[in-house]
Amino acid sequence: MKAFVVDKYKKNGALRLAKVPEPEVRDDDVMVRVHATGVNLLDSKVRNGEFKLFLPYRPPFVLGHDVAGIVTRVGPKVRRFKAGDEVYARPRDHRVGTFAEFIAMNEADVALKPKNISMEEAASIPLVGLTAWQALVEVAKVKPGQKVFIQAGSGGVGTFAIQLAKHLGATVATTTSTKNVELVKGLGADVVIDYKTQDFEKVLSGYDLVLHSQDAKTLEKSLRVLKPGGLLISISGPPDPEFAKELGLNLFLKLVIRLLSRGARKQAKSLGVRFSFLFMRAQGQQLGAITSLIESGVIRPVVDKVFLFEKTADALAYVETGRAKGKVVVTVAD
């Protein structure tokens, strides 16, 4: 089969289109013919080697963390899916590789694709949908009437998280650039801050939750808009000791991670608020709940551009500009 491979960890390194063996199907795996794949900033971070301390891949490896496609065969222990099912997923870490014609995934990571959207739209959902779900539903347990600040509202996670937070009954604030103000308002944002002309720290206060996806300077400011006891969940780092514990990292890596997040945790403590790092994980059941929200019209996918498979490297370069509205998708097969 054809796939885009990374030959070595390198910032802005090239993806190479190559012939690789089809993945093996384990007992509890489904083999999926990839119809479309989402492209995420996570792909470039993995290629750049930013996560190789705790997420090592041995080059050459195939990138890609989002997939929509059709099941072609299943392992002997699979009970939830059969050949011909239309599915979507975020494959688990160490088994990613959706920039390819086929991928084998554990059935626990997979969900039936929403019936009311295309393969391209479905491929845009898993990683950002699960990130928003795990932040807002699982960790923060957002309740009606709470105030939630979602950074970068027009980005992949932002466009999904705004809709989910509104569905959960929250008042939602977000930041975006002038040209995307109408987009985020249309998704349900109540307070829209144009980051080019306004400083969110001067506009917002008393928030229950911040979903942080920006740099360290923005993190410092974001902690100050929380009310006492409020929570900041960061999806852009720094990782915290709880994350190191979950991953079962060795003592040295636990120490490194503790040092990385020391400043943020110290500042949060001094302000009487909480800091938490989230590195989303594959979860088919949560994706099934997201399918229901999409089929009932509560959440709609936001896709900026669709690239052909041969142009996967261009799609990744476009994501890296940070200018995409919603998600960027690659069509792999018709």
Side-chain angles (χ1 to χ4, degrees), residues 13 34 42 67 116 168 193 196 207 209 215 225 256 278 298 314 322 329:
V34 180
L42 178 59
V67 62
N116 59 333
L168 296 170
I193 295 147
K196 294 194 171 178
Y207 271 66
L209 175 70
D215 58 13
V225 308
V256 169
L278 174 75
V298 169
D314 294 346
V329 174

Side-chain angles (χ1 to χ4, degrees), residues 23-68:
E24 67 164 307
V25 177
R26 300 175 190 174
D27 285 358
D28 43 12
D29 278 357
V30 296
M31 174 76 99
V32 173
R33 176 158 175 70
V34 180
H35 280 246
T37 174
V39 184
N40 298 282
L41 210 47
L42 178 59
D43 295 305
S44 67
K45 289 183 173 184
V46 169
R47 178 207 58 199
N48 295 353
E50 287 181 41
F51 295 126
K52 67 181 176 188
L53 263 182
F54 57 83
L55 199 57
Y57 289 101
R58 187 174 290 147
F61 61 88
V62 182
L63 279 174
H65 294 77
D66 274 321
V67 62

Side-chain angles (χ1 to χ4, degrees), residues 171-223:
T171 296
V172 181
T174 193
T175 47
T176 193
S177 62
T178 318
K179 66 178 189 296
N180 294 324
V181 167
E182 290 312 310
L183 168 70
V184 297
K185 278 185 178 170
L187 296 171
D190 302 287
V191 181
V192 181
I193 295 147
D194 181 345
Y195 68 80
K196 294 194 171 178
T197 59
Q198 292 172 288
D199 179 352
F200 71 80
E201 196 189 349
K202 292 186 176 137
V203 182
L204 308 177
S205 63
Y207 271 66
D208 297 278
L209 175 70
V210 174
L211 182 55
H212 169 78
S213 57
Q214 307 291 295
D215 58 13
K217 190 177 166 194
T218 309
L219 175 70
E220 279 182 33
K221 289 167 63 169
S222 300
L223 288 166

Side-chain angles (χ1 to χ4, degrees), residues 3-203:
F4 277 92
V5 301
V6 174
D7 287 313
K8 62 177 177 180
Y9 286 118
K10 190 182 177 189
K11 200 167 168 61
N12 301 324
L15 298 182
R16 176 173 60 88
L17 186 57
K19 283 217 155 158
V20 300
E22 270 189 22
E24 67 164 307
V25 177
R26 300 175 190 174
D27 285 358
D28 43 12
D29 278 357
V30 296
M31 174 76 99
V32 173
R33 176 158 175 70
V34 180
H35 280 246
T37 174
V39 184
N40 298 282
L41 210 47
L42 178 59
D43 295 305
S44 67
K45 289 183 173 184
V46 169
R47 178 207 58 199
N48 295 353
E50 287 181 41
F51 295 126
K52 67 181 176 188
L53 263 182
F54 57 83
L55 199 57
Y57 289 101
R58 187 174 290 147
F61 61 88
V62 182
L63 279 174
H65 294 77
D66 274 321
V67 62
I70 295 176
V71 176
T72 58
R73 59 195 171 100
V74 301
K77 290 184 179 170
V78 170
R79 297 289 173 266
R80 291 172 50 227
F81 302 99
K82 62 187 186 305
D85 282 347
E86 294 193 347
V87 296
Y88 69 152
R90 190 290 203 198
R92 63 186 58 182
D93 292 325
H94 304 291
R95 296 197 68 192
V96 302
T98 61
F99 294 175
E101 292 178 310
F102 291 91
I103 185 166
M105 298 175 284
N106 188 294
E107 74 164 330
D109 302 346
V110 181
L112 290 171
K113 170 189 142 329
K115 292 184 178 73
N116 59 333
I117 60 174
S118 68
M119 285 285 187
E120 285 76 18
E121 289 172 317
S124 77
I125 295 288
L127 185 136
V128 297
L130 287 168
T131 301
W133 184 277
Q134 287 164 20
L136 302 178
V137 177
E138 191 177 59
V139 179
K141 299 177 175 62
V142 170
K143 294 173 185 64
Q146 288 190 319
K147 288 161 66 175
V148 176
F149 171 37
I150 293 160
Q151 294 168 2
S154 61
V157 173
T159 50
F160 194 99
I162 289 169
Q163 296 177 82
L164 182 58
K166 281 305 288 181
H167 170 66
L168 296 170
T171 296
V172 181
T174 193
T175 47
T176 193
S177 62
T178 318
K179 66 178 189 296
N180 294 324
V181 167
E182 290 312 310
L183 168 70
V184 297
K185 278 185 178 170
L187 296 171
D190 302 287
V191 181
V192 181
I193 295 147
D194 181 345
Y195 68 80
K196 294 194 171 178
T197 59
Q198 292 172 288
D199 179 352
F200 71 80
E201 196 189 349
K202 292 186 176 137
V203 182

